[in-house]
Amino acid sequence: MEETRDIERDFLKRLGMRIRERRSMRGLSQEELGFAADRTQHYISQVELGKRNPSILTIRAICQALEMSPHDMLDGV
């Protein structure tokens, strides 16, 4: 069970890093991304740090705000 939690934690951290990288490439602040994705800056921060497990609908909203597909966001994560 512990191994599964480690895998999930690592996945969320990699996803968060991917979101942060894309946000930075687009020149957006966490607040701007949050506004565009209808989420708070705090929530975006928590996702980027791998501390939140975003729903598929939240991933979709973030991807739309970052102008990328969910497939591209999750590919290789």
Side-chain angles (χ1 to χ4, degrees):
M1 204 60 185
E2 185 67 29
E3 184 177 333
T4 300
R5 287 191 188 127
D6 289 342
I7 291 169
E8 291 171 354
R9 206 168 324 160
D10 288 345
F11 173 81
L12 292 175
K13 286 181 181 180
R14 289 191 310 271
L15 176 62
M17 289 188 316
R18 173 88 42 102
I19 291 169
R20 177 178 288 145
E21 288 169 2
R22 181 64 180 218
R23 177 180 60 77
S24 294
M25 285 175 47
R26 305 247 326 122
L28 297 172
S29 67
Q30 289 179 341
E31 185 175 10
E32 290 167 326
L33 175 57
F35 181 79
D38 197 27
R39 304 301 187 274
T40 65
Q41 176 275 326
H42 180 74
Y43 185 84
I44 297 297
S45 172
Q46 295 292 295
V47 169
E48 288 185 353
L49 293 171
K51 295 183 178 183
R52 295 294 297 258
N53 185 359
S55 72
I56 192 67
L57 294 176
T58 296
I59 291 171
R60 181 177 176 264
I62 290 171
C63 287
Q64 285 179 329
L66 294 174
E67 298 181 0
M68 68 186 304
S69 73
H71 176 270
D72 289 341
M73 174 67 73
L74 297 171
D75 188 41
V77 173

